[in-house]
Amino acid sequence: MVRNEVTAQTYRFNCGRWFGRGVDDGSLERLLVAEILPQVDPDAEVLANGMIERSSKAHSRSRTPPRARSPSTARSESTNSKSRTRLTEIQQQLGEAVNAIVKHFYCGVGARSELTQLLCAPERGLVSVMVAVFLYGRQDSIWSARFFKQHYPWDYVEKVCAWFFELIRMEDAKKLTREQRSLISHACRLVRKISSNTALGKDGKFQLFILVTVRDHVLSGLLPLMAWTPVTAQLYDEPSFLRTPHNLTYLAKLLSSLNEFQFNLEKSLTYGID
């Protein structure tokens, strides 16, 4: 944590991830976005985990403990019910993230640092929500379960663009519209540039992919093309955002509302990709 002694504002830089080749997602560097902690009175004590504990013992005794769920209730929930609940949660988070960005542009007074928060903040930022979108409905193979292999959205993006690259070289590419060919070519060039950055891990590369495609107003049009590839059927079950038609339509339509805005991103976010 970092504290500004002039403004008394405290910032927390969450990471909680490993660094190194073959460790975690293979990242050698990570972009940490500051989380602004609420200001508290001088009698409050900041703990190591960033939580606030007041010195008043009476206050701590008066807290209502969190409601505990019955173990039998948790066990009785079906997989389908949990999946629907998770889908609703992601849709709500996605709507909130997009609405916050739209509000930022319509108000017209926010700084670029505020836009960075809306895009990259942990959990509630657009990129974090898009990670959840790409992980929802992802198939678990016997090998990933046996070796505890974690899924990364970037793996899917790379596989799709590899398929796109082969498609462009085939006669079937002539059946695509000019706009579709333009989107596919844009995606292939972008993924090639991102992949050349050896310091970024898979999560960092996916974040860069989302940021640049949102900035260039191509993500909403690219997603239906990505979902159309056989890679999607191989890696995703239904329901998911990429295989279930009405979920995909909802996702693409919501993201298309960002196409009317000009995203002037900080250079530290785009790694020099114009």
Side-chain angles (χ1 to χ4, degrees):
M1 290 189 296
V2 177
R3 177 180 172 83
N4 187 327
E5 297 298 339
V6 177
T7 63
Q9 186 68 66
T10 303
Y11 302 87
R12 178 169 56 190
F13 295 84
N14 281 322
C15 184
R17 302 290 296 275
W18 293 95
F19 293 83
R21 302 289 187 199
V23 180
D24 203 332
D25 68 336
S27 179
L28 298 181
E29 65 177 70
R30 298 189 188 278
L31 177 68
L32 303 182
V33 178
E35 177 186 357
I36 302 176
L37 299 181
Q39 293 185 349
V40 296
D41 58 72
D43 295 331
E45 181 181 356
V46 181
L47 302 181
N49 61 0
M51 300 299 291
I52 305 299
E53 181 179 51
R54 297 187 180 277
S55 57
S56 172
K57 295 182 179 179
H59 180 272
S60 61
R61 286 197 301 267
S62 64
R63 291 178 181 173
T64 302
R67 180 181 298 177
R69 297 183 63 188
S70 169
S72 60
T73 302
R75 286 194 297 267
S76 65
E77 290 183 350
S78 66
T79 302
N80 290 337
S81 176
K82 290 181 180 180
S83 179
R84 287 194 298 269
T85 301
R86 181 57 181 152
L87 174 62
T88 302
E89 290 176 352
I90 297 175
Q91 288 176 330
Q92 180 177 352
Q93 293 169 357
L94 185 62
E96 291 174 351
V98 171
N99 287 338
I101 295 173
V102 171
K103 183 178 179 181
H104 165 83
F105 281 106
Y106 274 124
C107 290
V109 294
R112 281 200 300 178
S113 58
E114 180 183 341
L115 180 59
T116 299
Q117 282 279 341
L118 297 176
L119 291 170
C120 304
E123 298 182 3
R124 67 181 184 277
L126 179 63
V127 172
S128 295
V129 180
M130 289 302 297
V131 170
V133 166
F134 274 73
L135 290 179
Y136 181 74
R138 184 70 186 266
Q139 294 179 1
D140 288 319
S141 68
I142 185 174
W143 297 108
S144 63
R146 180 174 298 178
F147 295 105
F148 304 100
K149 184 178 179 181
Q150 184 174 348
H151 294 309
Y152 294 98
W154 178 249
D155 293 330
Y156 168 73
V157 173
E158 278 194 313
K159 290 179 184 295
V160 166
C161 285
W163 190 89
F164 279 157
F165 183 76
E166 293 298 325
L167 174 66
I168 293 175
R169 300 167 59 184
M170 299 170 60
E171 289 292 325
D172 290 344
K174 296 180 180 179
K175 300 178 182 179
L176 300 173
T177 66
R178 178 180 298 180
E179 181 182 3
Q180 289 173 333
R181 289 196 298 270
S182 176
L183 287 170
I184 289 174
S185 298
H186 187 287
C188 290
R189 288 193 300 269
L190 176 59
V191 169
R192 186 162 55 246
K193 290 179 181 179
I194 295 175
S195 298
S196 66
N197 189 326
T198 57
L200 284 177
K202 293 181 178 181
D203 284 344
K205 290 176 179 178
F206 180 74
Q207 173 173 287
L208 183 53
F209 175 80
I210 295 297
L211 292 176
V212 175
T213 51
V214 168
R215 181 198 67 183
D216 296 345
H217 306 150
V218 298
L219 182 58
S220 59
L222 186 60
L223 285 174
L225 288 173
M226 297 175 70
W228 166 71
T229 67
V231 177
T232 303
Q234 295 168 6
L235 297 183
Y236 286 89
D237 291 321
E238 292 195 58
S240 66
F241 282 93
L242 294 168
R243 280 197 67 180
T244 308
H246 64 271
N247 291 341
L248 177 63
T249 301
Y250 166 83
L251 176 63
K253 186 175 181 179
L254 187 61
L255 291 174
S256 67
S257 64
L258 300 177
N259 292 345
E260 62 179 288
F261 306 113
Q262 296 299 319
F263 287 80
N264 185 19
L265 302 179
E266 298 183 70
K267 293 183 178 180
S268 60
L269 297 179
T270 59
Y271 291 88
I273 295 181
D274 298 324

